[in-house]
């Protein structure tokens, strides 16, 4: 049994640098994204209205068509709960069903959707792979 | 570790107590550190409705000066009419030691779970490379050992999702402390482990709900609950996240007499939750266990000191109900019933009760294993009993006993408890021959773990004293006899006609090609090993970051013992997209399968499966034909079992490369590696998608897990 990570972590703790470095990975993973304001509900006007189930389904369908099989092909969205992010972006809890499963089973994922001149687009989530 | 080490530890105790100012219980001392029962939340009128909040808190039961680290554990209270916080005060539990949910067969358990956990230092997570979302500290709940449906969510957003005992989901803290900590800001699809196969739950309340219904025929006994998010389970449990669950009343299976005119009362039952935590110098908790934390260092009461090389100034605490080395007064003449739960993430215990006067073990009488009362008909053959008990107990004499016992009493001088196991034992003063006798004046004992080495490629879990035990002196009780385990309460509950039947199963059209029953006479073989992957940086069985990785392999074997062509899958790490699927039997009846568990590693593993109890069978019985509920019912029913480690021979991977800690499947098949199969019969009665895995959580998080789905039959 080897505990390379653990020993490394212990070493860092002893040297007192862990506190400073603790969140490097979290931040790095999010760094390619715009910074979200802490405000959870700053919608002003219609253009800031949260996306509906149909909007997120449309964004997903558009991405699924163009993503070379990076999405499951049969996601039907049945519920969303979105909060505003930076600009025209919304962070959403998305519930969906899949045809090969019991239709009562609601899968859950998070997704980042953005309003663009072409309509709602999917920036993250629902199986879209960026790497 | 042998008796000499124990003696040395004992001898060192007094001086260490003095040197460190540690409170040390001595014989006959009823101290302020008397073991307290975990706080109880009992169902009423068939319902237990709770709010459970996962959050940081002080570990305040340590007596070593300077150590009161911040762990993570549960605040529990009856679900308030409004709001999602627990009122301060006696009605709420907020204790590292844990709590107990007291349920009855047929009950409904409803829980609102809130995630108020802090972010995790990514460098402390072994599996951060596989899943960066783990740094956000997602969580969930599993009711370990309960035979209940593994129901997935059926509630769409914006409402809070509702699950049964379903673990392929992860609840995130909405107020994680940083606006960047929104899982939607990550790309879950970028990580294969999250590729829409596990739910990501993220809502303003940081909440998800559980609604779990126990069958009316559920066995009575000891169960527990803990988080089960793949990749981080070991960390959350190591930090304290676990509580226990009891089902039914002890009187339903345990009496002082054969006719059960004198049932054992609930007041005679004690619950002992075993947890451990490694704390670095400066009172900083380590988020998981390094088994060599104390190597070469001293152990004394409830603690061993960190080895100077890596953990100088640190301590590894072993607590009972969150208390470091409590005193347990056994004040009832007839003794007590102790329910042990190993709620450690990865540590194993070898429990002994050592008579302080003689230095010899006082035998425990075994009552139940993994939540099911255990017993064998009088005259049961030794192979049957020892086969099932061999790797978990050192069987000892129960002394002289009179009268008729429906099930022969079984005693043990040692109880091996790998992670997640529960053992229920009658504890009373016994002489070295196992006879129940009047305790001498001042009789006392030490409950300790004697240490367990899990094999050449395994872990040296340390020897530590866990509690001081004082026996009340006085005349021997009139009924100085082993207690009676009720015949109807044991295996029979889950056997034959009274087997738990599937809940809510209705005929469902078979999905194309997905779920097929195992052909009659066939069995599944499961291999436990360290997989070899490209880029391994530290030899076989490691990942590119030098972590040991773990996996399972599969094969279907026909009635002649031959591998079914096309069925072999070599050992790989957990992938939630790979699923074993099976339908219930015609008419939605339970299905019984035989599995052969083959450990190819040079360390013990600990097989666990959700939503059912399995039973040992001998290889001869297993290969004699399709499994039957008659043979199933004659065994000990368990939900976890140690798997003996393999013995590599010439030409096998571990012999060719000393870095390797497991044989290859090809080594096994070519006879270069000897492995002892453990044969079990497993009934599938509960619908849903669930898992089986090694319950050494370092191994489960490292990939030794697989998904299984049980669906209704089409007719
Ligand atoms: Cu294991």
């Amino acid at each position: 049994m080897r505990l390379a990570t653990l020993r490394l972590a212990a070493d860092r703790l002893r040297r007192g640098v862990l506190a400073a470095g603790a969140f490097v990975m979290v931040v790095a993973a999010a760094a390619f994204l715009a910074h979200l304001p802490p405000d959870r509900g700053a919608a002003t006007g219609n253009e800031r209205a949260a996306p509906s189930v149909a909007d997120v389904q449309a964004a997903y369908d558009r991405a699924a068509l163009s993503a070379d099989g990076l999405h499951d092909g049969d996601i039907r969205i049945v519920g969303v709960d979105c909060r505003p992010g930076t600009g025209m972006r919304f962070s959403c809890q998305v519930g969906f069903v899949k045809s090969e499963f019991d239709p009562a089973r609601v899968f859950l994922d998070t997704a980042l959707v953005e309003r663009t001149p072409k309509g709602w687009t999917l920036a993250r989530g629902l199986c879209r792979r960026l790497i | 570790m042998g008796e000499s080490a124990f003696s040395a530890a004992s001898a060192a105790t007094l001086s260490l107590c003095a040197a460190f100012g540690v409170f040390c219980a001595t014989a006959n001392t009823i101290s302020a550190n008397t073991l307290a029962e975990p706080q109880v939340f009992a169902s009423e009128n068939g319902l237990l409705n709770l709010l459970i909040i996962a959050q940081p808190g002080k570990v305040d039961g340590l007596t070593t000066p300077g150590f009161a680290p911040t762990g993570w554990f549960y605040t529990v209270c009856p679900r308030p009419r409004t709001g999602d916080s627990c009122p301060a005060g006696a009605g709420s539990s907020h204790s590292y030691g844990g709590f107990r949910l007291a349920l009855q067969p047929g009950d409904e358990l409803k829980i609102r779970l809130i995630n108020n956990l802090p972010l995790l230092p990514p460098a402390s997570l072994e599996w951060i490379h596989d899943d960066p979302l783990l740094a956000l500290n997602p969580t969930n709940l599993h009711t370990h050992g309960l035979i209940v449906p593994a129901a997935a969510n059926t509630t769409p957003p914006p409402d809070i999702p509702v699950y049964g005992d379903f673990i392929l989901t992860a609840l995130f803290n909405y107020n994680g402390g940083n606006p960047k900590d929104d899982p939607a800001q990550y790309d879950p699809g970028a990580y294969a482990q999250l590729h829409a196969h596990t739910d990501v739950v993220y809502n303003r309340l940081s909440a998800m709900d559980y609604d779990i219904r126990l069958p009316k025929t559920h066995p009575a006994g000891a169960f527990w609950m803990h988080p089960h998010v793949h990749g981080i389970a070991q960390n959350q449990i190591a930090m304290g996240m676990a509580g226990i669950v009891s089902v039914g009343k002890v009187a339903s299976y345990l009496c002082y007499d054969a006719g059960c005119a004198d049932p054992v009362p609930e007041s005679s039952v004690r619950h002992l939750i075993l947890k451990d935590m490694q704390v670095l110098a400066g009172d900083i908790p380590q988020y998981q266990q390094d088994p060599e934390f104390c190597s070469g260092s001293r152990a004394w009461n409830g603690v061993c000191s960190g080895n100077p090389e890596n953990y100088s100034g640190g301590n590894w605490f072993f607590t009972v109900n969150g208390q470091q080395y409590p005193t347990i007064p056994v004040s009832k003449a007839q003794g007590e019933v102790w329910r042990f739960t190993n709620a450690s993430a990865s540590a194993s215990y070898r429990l002994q009760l050592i008579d302080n006067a003689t230095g010899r073990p006082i035998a425990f009488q075994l009552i139940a294993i993994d939540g099911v009362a255990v017993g064998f008909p009088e005259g049961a053959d030794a192979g049957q009993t020892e086969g099932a008990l061999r790797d978990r107990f050192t069987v000892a004499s129960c002394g002289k006993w009179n009268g008729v016992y429906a099930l022969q009493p079984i005693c043990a001088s040692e109880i091996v408890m790998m992670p997640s196991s529960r053992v229920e034992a009658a504890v009373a003063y016994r002489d070295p021959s196992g006879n129940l006798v009047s305790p001498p004046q001042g009789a006392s004992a030490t409950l300790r773990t004697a240490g367990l080495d899990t094999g050449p490629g395994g872990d040296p879990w340390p020897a530590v004293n866990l509690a001081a035990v004082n026996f009340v002196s006085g005349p021997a009780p009139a009924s100085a006899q082993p207690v009676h385990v009720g015949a109807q309460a044991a295996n029979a509950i889950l056997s034959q006609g009274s087997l738990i039947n599937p809940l809510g199963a209705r005929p469902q059209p078979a999905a194309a090609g997905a779920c097929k029953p195992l052909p009659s006479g066939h069995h599944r073989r499961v291999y436990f090993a360290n997989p070899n992957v490209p880029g391994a940086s530290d030899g076989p069985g490691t990942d590119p970051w030098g972590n040991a990785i773990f996996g399972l392999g599969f094969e279907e074997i026909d009635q002649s013992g031959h591998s079914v062509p096309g069925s072999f899958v070599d050992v790989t790490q957990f992938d939630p997209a790979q699923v074993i699927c099976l339908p219930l039997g015609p008419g939605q009846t339970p299905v019984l399968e035989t599995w052969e568990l083959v450990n190819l590693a040079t360390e013990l593993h600990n097989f666990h499966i959700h939503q059912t109890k399995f039973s040992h069978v001998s290889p001869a019985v297993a290969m004699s034909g399709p499994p039957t509920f008659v043979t199933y019912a004659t065994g000990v029913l368990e939900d976890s079992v140690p798997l003996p480690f393999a013995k590599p021979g010439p030409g096998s991977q571990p012999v060719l490369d000393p870095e390797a800690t497991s044989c290859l499947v090809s080594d096994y098949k070519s006879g270069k590696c000897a492995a002892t199969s453990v044969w079990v019969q497993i009934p599938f009665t509960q619908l849903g998608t669930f898992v089986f895995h090694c319950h050494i959580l370092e191994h489960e998080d490292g990939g030794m897990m697989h998904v299984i789905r049980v669906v209704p039959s089409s007719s």
Side-chain angles (χ1 to χ4, degrees):
Chain A
M1 131 127 208
R2 280 154 281 203
L3 281 168
T5 307
L6 191 61
R7 295 254 162 73
L8 183 65
D11 288 346
R12 287 180 189 168
L13 280 166
R14 268 196 304 282
R15 293 200 302 269
V17 301
L18 186 59
F23 303 116
V24 165
M25 188 136 191
V26 178
V27 173
F32 57 95
L33 294 167
H35 186 100
L36 272 184
D39 183 355
R40 308 253 194 248
T44 55
N46 247 2
E47 77 284 358
R48 293 293 288 134
S52 65
V53 166
D55 294 332
V56 179
Q57 181 79 54
Y60 163 76
D61 289 343
R62 196 171 294 123
L65 272 179
S66 63
D68 295 332
L70 294 180
H71 294 266
D72 287 347
D74 64 344
I75 287 177
R76 182 166 64 81
I77 295 169
V78 294
V80 296
D81 183 16
C82 299
R83 64 157 166 159
T86 303
M88 295 294 123
R89 285 185 160 190
F90 286 81
S91 163
C92 302
Q93 170 87 82
V94 181
F96 58 91
V97 298
K98 296 170 78 172
S99 62
E100 77 263 36
F101 283 87
D102 179 348
R105 176 171 176 184
V106 177
F107 293 81
L108 295 166
D109 199 356
T110 49
L112 199 62
V113 292
E114 183 170 19
R115 185 197 289 274
T116 70
K118 292 180 184 168
W120 289 96
T121 61
L122 183 62
R124 300 277 183 279
L126 294 171
C127 291
R128 183 169 183 192
R129 291 167 187 261
L130 295 185
I131 56 174
Chain B
M1 202 172 278
E3 289 306 310
S4 57
F6 172 62
S7 303
S10 297
T13 299
L14 286 176
S15 57
L16 283 165
C17 290
F20 288 84
V22 181
F23 170 82
C24 293
T26 54
N28 294 321
T29 306
I30 303 293
S31 71
N33 199 21
T34 300
L35 182 69
E37 274 286 287
Q39 187 162 340
V40 179
F41 298 88
S43 62
E44 286 178 33
N45 303 316
L47 174 67
L48 183 59
N49 190 4
L50 297 173
L51 173 63
I52 297 185
I53 305 167
Q55 61 184 79
K58 275 270 175 265
V59 179
D60 58 6
L62 308 180
T63 52
T64 300
F67 284 85
T70 296
W72 308 331
F73 43 87
Y74 296 111
T75 294
V76 185
C77 63
R79 179 90 187 266
R81 281 183 201 284
T82 57
D84 282 310
S85 60
C86 284
S92 301
S93 163
H94 181 63
S95 166
Y96 165 76
F99 54 87
R100 173 163 68 99
L101 310 188
L103 300 172
Q104 301 301 323
D107 274 355
E108 180 177 16
L109 171 62
K110 296 179 80 166
I111 294 171
R112 166 149 294 184
L113 175 68
I114 306 271
N115 182 349
N116 280 349
L117 295 172
L119 298 175
L120 254 170
S124 68
L125 288 168
E126 273 186 287
W127 310 110
I128 191 71
H129 310 288
D130 295 339
D131 180 3
L133 287 178
L134 295 177
L136 302 183
N137 217 348
T139 196
N140 63 16
L141 284 178
H142 167 50
T143 50
H144 182 119
L146 293 187
I147 306 171
V148 293
N153 170 52
T154 58
T155 304
D159 292 333
I160 300 300
V162 186
Y163 293 93
D165 180 26
F166 181 86
I167 63 108
L168 296 165
T169 182
L171 171 65
F172 289 81
N173 181 354
Y174 193 81
N175 307 301
N178 184 323
K180 292 192 196 73
D181 306 329
D182 172 353
Q185 294 292 306
Y186 290 82
D187 174 18
Y191 310 111
Q193 303 299 316
L194 288 169
H195 180 64
H197 297 290
T198 58
D199 285 357
V200 175
V201 180
Y202 186 66
N203 56 56
R204 287 167 176 79
L205 296 178
S206 306
M208 61 189 188
D209 289 347
Y210 289 88
D211 189 353
I212 295 169
R213 288 160 195 263
L214 276 66
K216 288 193 173 68
T217 50
H218 199 284
F223 305 86
W224 68 299
M225 59 197 300
H226 61 82
H228 209 309
V229 173
H230 179 63
I232 200 172
Q234 62 174 338
N235 310 92
Q236 294 186 345
I237 294 177
M239 291 291 279
M241 292 169 66
I244 58 173
V245 178
S246 63
V247 177
K249 293 194 162 47
V250 69
S252 70
Y253 56 88
L254 201 60
C255 300
Y256 290 115
D257 61 319
C260 215
D262 189 10
V264 173
E266 287 296 298
S267 60
S268 290
V269 182
R270 214 181 256 289
H271 297 85
L272 298 93
I273 308 174
L274 308 179
K275 294 187 180 182
D276 73 295
M277 182 183 274
Q278 295 185 345
V279 187
L280 305 171
D283 211 17
I284 302 164
Q286 173 146 273
Y287 298 90
Q288 67 178 73
Q289 289 92 347
D290 179 349
E292 293 172 16
F293 191 96
C294 290
S295 292
S297 295
R298 286 171 186 271
W300 60 104
N301 293 339
V303 64
C304 60
S305 54
N307 72 63
E309 187 192 346
N310 289 309
Y311 299 110
S312 177
N315 280 309
W316 186 357
F317 295 98
F318 291 80
T319 57
V320 184
N321 300 348
Q323 294 171 250
Q324 183 185 346
Y325 201 67
T327 298
I328 307 176
V330 178
S331 54
K332 297 198 175 185
Q334 289 173 305
E336 299 183 343
V337 174
W338 288 6
R339 284 179 173 162
F340 294 103
T341 300
N342 181 351
S344 284
S346 296
S348 287
Y349 298 75
R350 187 153 59 98
L351 298 179
Q352 298 175 335
L353 187 60
I354 301 293
D355 187 328
N356 290 339
T358 65
R360 299 173 67 167
I362 296 172
F364 301 96
Q365 184 190 346
L366 298 181
I367 294 165
I369 300 173
D370 292 349
V372 185
V374 58
F376 298 98
E378 196 166 356
D381 74 273
Q384 195 177 29
T385 55
E386 286 163 16
L389 303 175
R390 183 190 57 212
D391 298 315
R392 298 185 70 162
F393 305 97
T394 302
V395 174
S397 169
C398 286
K400 285 176 284 199
W401 45 277
N402 305 315
V404 177
Y405 281 73
L407 297 172
Q408 185 179 311
I410 304 166
C411 288
S413 58
E414 284 187 342
I415 300 173
V416 170
M417 295 190 71
M418 294 194 74
S420 86
S421 66
R422 286 90 61 220
V423 170
E424 199 164 321
V427 173
Y429 190 80
R430 292 173 183 269
D431 70 16
S433 302
N435 299 305
L436 284 159
V437 295
S438 174
Q441 189 71 33
S444 67
T446 303
L447 175 69
R448 67 159 184 154
T449 171
L452 187 77
D453 196 313
T454 62
D459 303 323
W461 302 108
V464 178
N465 294 340
L466 299 172
V469 180
N470 294 325
F471 293 96
V472 70
S473 55
S479 58
Q481 298 286 321
V483 287
H484 291 251
V485 177
Q488 284 310 308
N491 322 40
I493 289 253
L494 287 171
S495 69
Q496 303 178 57
S498 57
L499 190 89
I500 287 172
N501 286 307
L503 284 172
R506 288 179 197 83
Q508 187 172 294
C515 288
K516 293 201 182 85
L518 191 64
S520 177
H522 290 207
H523 73 266
R524 299 185 203 272
R525 182 184 288 161
V526 185
Y527 296 104
F528 293 71
N530 304 100
N532 293 330
V533 297
S537 68
D538 198 13
T542 67
D543 69 7
W545 298 275
N547 294 311
I549 55 173
F550 300 86
L552 297 172
F554 298 93
E555 195 161 26
E556 184 182 323
I557 307 293
D558 70 16
Q559 55 270 47
S560 307
H562 298 128
S563 177
V564 172
S567 69
F568 176 68
V569 180
D570 205 351
V571 175
T572 53
Q573 278 184 285
F574 177 62
D575 175 355
Q578 301 303 314
V579 178
I580 292 174
C581 188
L582 61 104
L584 292 172
Q588 316 305 334
T589 50
V591 168
L592 192 62
E593 289 194 355
T594 299
W595 289 23
E596 179 190 4
L597 310 172
V598 183
N599 182 3
L600 298 178
T602 56
E603 66 175 318
L604 293 175
H605 289 299
N606 189 35
F607 173 72
H608 167 59
I609 186 164
H610 293 203
Q611 333 304 140
T612 186
K613 303 281 172 201
F614 53 80
S615 164
H616 276 256
V617 286
S618 68
V621 168
M623 288 305 292
S624 67
T628 70
F629 284 107
V630 174
T631 52
Y632 170 71
T634 59
V636 175
L637 306 190
E638 301 168 281
D639 58 49
S640 65
V641 64
L643 305 178
F645 51 81
K647 299 193 174 49
S652 66
Q653 179 176 252
V655 170
L656 297 175
D657 183 347
E659 289 268 280
T661 53
S662 76
C663 298
L664 304 170
V665 174
S666 56
D667 294 337
Y668 172 74
K669 292 196 167 192
S670 63
K672 293 175 189 162
C673 182
T676 305
S677 295
V678 170
W679 296 79
V680 293
Q681 293 184 340
I682 310 178
F684 293 97
T685 69
Q686 301 300 303
L687 295 175
T689 303
F690 52 98
V691 292
F692 54 93
H693 58 92
C694 176
H695 217 297
I696 298 171
L697 289 173
E698 187 216 357
H699 302 178
E700 183 271 295
D701 283 335
M704 197 170 262
M705 181 157 81
H706 202 82
V707 177
I708 186 162
R709 179 176 300 133
V710 178
V711 300
S713 72
S714 56
S715 59

